[in-house]
Amino acid sequence: MPTYLRMGGLCQNETMELYEGVKTLTNNLDASRQSAKELSKSIENVQKEATDVAVQRNIERRRELRENEVRKELFLKKVLMQWEHQEQVRQEEIKIRADFLKKYGKRWAEVEALRVKLEKQEQEFQKEFNKDLNKARIAQFWCFVVAGWIAYFLVWGK
C-alpha cells in the first residue's frame, strides 16, 4: 500500500501524528485534572487547619475569660472575708473599751499608751528578725558560691 493512501483526506503519517497529539493532549488533561484535585485537597486541608486553629483560640479565650471571672469572684470573696474580720475586730474593741470604761473609769489613756508601747516593741522585734533573716540569706548565698567553686575544681580541676 502506498504511503500516500488517503483516509478521509489525511495520509497515514498525518493520522498517526494527530493520534499522538490527541493522546498527548489527553494525558496532559488527565495530569492537569489530577493536579487540580490535589490542589483542591491541599486548599481544603489548609482551610480546615485554619478553622481548627480559630476554634481552638476561641475555646482558649472563653476558658481564660471564665478563669478571670472566677479569680475576680474569689478575690472579692477574700476581700469581703477580710472586711468582716476587721469589722469583728472593731466591734470587739468597742465592746472591750466600753467594758473597761465601766469597770475602771477614765483610765483608758493608760491602756492606749500601753498598746502603743507594745506595738512599738513588736515592730522592733520584727525589724531585728528581718535583719537576722537577711544575714542568714547572705550566709547561705556565700555557702552556695563556695560549694559551686569547689564543685567546679573537683570536676574540671585546675
Side-chain angles (χ1 to χ4, degrees):
M1 224 191 240
T3 56
Y4 294 106
L5 180 66
R6 298 215 172 239
M7 299 178 75
L10 295 176
C11 70
Q12 195 172 15
N13 284 337
E14 291 173 342
T15 304
M16 289 302 287
E17 290 173 5
L18 182 62
Y19 174 75
E20 288 298 321
V22 169
K23 185 177 177 182
T24 303
L25 179 64
T26 305
N27 287 339
N28 287 341
L29 288 174
D30 287 341
S32 295
R33 198 171 323 136
Q34 187 64 29
S35 294
K37 285 181 184 178
E38 290 173 9
L39 182 60
S40 294
K41 277 187 181 180
S42 178
I43 290 171
E44 287 174 7
N45 289 339
V46 168
Q47 288 174 339
K48 183 182 181 310
E49 288 174 7
T51 303
D52 290 346
V53 168
V55 167
Q56 185 63 32
R57 286 184 180 166
N58 187 31
I59 290 170
E60 288 174 6
R61 275 196 289 288
R62 291 176 186 271
R63 180 184 49 79
E64 186 176 330
L65 180 65
R66 283 191 306 268
E67 287 175 358
N68 287 337
E69 289 173 354
V70 168
R71 278 190 214 111
K72 287 177 185 177
E73 189 175 311
L74 289 175
F75 181 74
L76 182 59
K77 286 180 181 180
K78 186 177 177 181
V79 167
L80 289 174
M81 288 173 52
Q82 182 68 28
W83 181 86
E84 287 175 350
H85 175 71
Q86 289 177 351
E87 186 62 24
Q88 286 175 346
V89 168
R90 280 191 291 271
Q91 294 299 325
E92 189 66 28
E93 285 177 354
I94 291 170
K95 183 181 175 193
I96 290 172
R97 182 177 182 185
D99 291 344
F100 182 85
L101 290 174
K102 284 181 190 176
K103 191 171 184 180
Y104 299 106
K106 296 186 177 185
R107 297 179 65 189
W108 184 252
E110 294 174 21
V111 172
E112 285 295 322
L114 182 59
R115 183 183 62 85
V116 168
K117 180 182 174 184
L118 290 175
E119 284 177 352
K120 219 179 234 187
Q121 187 179 27
E122 185 62 33
Q123 286 175 353
E124 286 297 319
F125 286 148
Q126 187 64 40
K127 192 174 172 183
E128 291 299 319
F129 171 76
N130 288 340
K131 283 181 184 178
D132 293 340
L133 184 62
N134 193 29
K135 288 178 185 177
R137 287 180 179 161
I138 289 171
Q140 186 179 20
F141 169 77
W142 284 110
C143 287
F144 287 141
V145 168
V146 169
W149 185 69
I150 291 170
Y152 172 80
F153 282 106
L154 286 175
V155 172
W156 288 285
K158 279 193 180 183

